[in-house]
């Protein structure tokens, strides 16, 4: 997820990432994998609060922009300003896409640490951030 023409604020060695993340989290945040649907409890979270990158704790999404869909990932209409970057990703089997044809997705990365968060896709003709719950930490709003 890193590029030589962009300077990320947080840069860690592979060993440092592996010490911070579980193997499953590492596969998603550092290798761009996609979690299986409905495996993160955050997909159906409805409490008010904010969602932060698990790699660096940057507030990336606000619960006000979250929408729960029965597809099993965490969906938002918007990210926080200046929180994410995009890249091009190939077809994703978990979304039912095949390598045949031109299928590609817009990948979503944390702009501070380059962690892979998910994808920007159309669902019911509405653009949404489709995010791996494993890539996020939820912080409930304080009263």
């Amino acid at each position: 997820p890193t590029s030589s023409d962009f300077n990320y604020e947080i840069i860690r060695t592979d060993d440092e990432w592996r010490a911070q993340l579980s193997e499953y989290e590492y596969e998603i945040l550092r290798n761009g994998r996609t979690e299986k649907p409905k495996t993160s409890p955050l997909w159906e979270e409805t409490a008010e609060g904010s969602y932060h990158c698990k790699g660096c704790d940057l507030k990336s999404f606000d619960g006000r922009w979250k929408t729960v869909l029965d597809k099993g990932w965490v969906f938002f209409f918007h990210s926080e300003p200046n929180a994410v970057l995009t890249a091009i990703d190939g077809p994703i089997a978990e979304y039912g896409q095949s390598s045949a044809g031109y299928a590609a997705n817009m990948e979503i990365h944390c702009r501070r640490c380059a962690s892979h968060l998910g994808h920007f896709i159309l669902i019911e003709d509405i653009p949404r951030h489709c995010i791996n719950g494993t890539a996020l930490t939820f912080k409930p709003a304080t009263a």
Side-chain angles (χ1 to χ4, degrees):
T2 60
S3 172
S4 61
D5 60 349
F6 188 84
N7 295 316
Y8 292 95
E9 294 172 41
I10 295 177
I11 299 171
R12 296 187 177 105
T13 66
D14 189 61
D15 287 342
E16 290 170 329
W17 280 114
R18 289 183 181 279
Q20 176 182 333
L21 304 170
S22 71
E23 186 60 32
Y24 185 65
E25 292 167 343
Y26 180 89
E27 285 300 312
I28 291 169
L29 276 77
R30 305 314 302 166
N31 286 333
R33 303 286 189 247
T34 299
E35 68 191 9
K36 299 283 186 212
K38 300 182 181 179
T39 56
S40 166
L42 293 182
W43 82 269
E44 59 186 349
E45 178 63 63
T46 58
E48 290 183 33
S50 57
Y51 295 79
H52 298 243
C53 170
K54 190 167 277 183
C56 70
D57 201 38
L58 178 67
K59 181 180 177 186
S60 302
F61 301 95
D62 190 290
R64 294 174 297 154
W65 297 109
K66 186 174 189 283
T67 180
V68 176
L69 301 175
D70 195 39
K71 299 194 178 298
W73 290 283
V74 185
F75 291 95
F76 300 94
F77 291 111
H78 304 285
S79 63
E80 286 293 299
N82 302 311
V84 301
L85 296 173
T86 61
I88 300 297
D89 193 11
I92 300 169
E94 288 90 341
Y95 296 168
Q97 298 170 339
S98 138
S99 60
Y102 63 91
N105 291 290
M106 187 181 302
E107 211 171 31
I108 303 292
H109 292 268
C110 175
R111 70 109 182 119
R112 186 158 63 183
C113 72
S115 289
H116 172 260
L117 302 177
H119 296 88
F120 192 72
I121 60 176
L122 285 176
I123 296 181
E124 300 165 357
D125 295 325
I126 299 171
R128 302 171 204 248
H129 291 81
C130 177
I131 306 299
N132 294 294
T134 302
L136 300 172
T137 300
F138 176 67
K139 297 185 179 184
T142 55

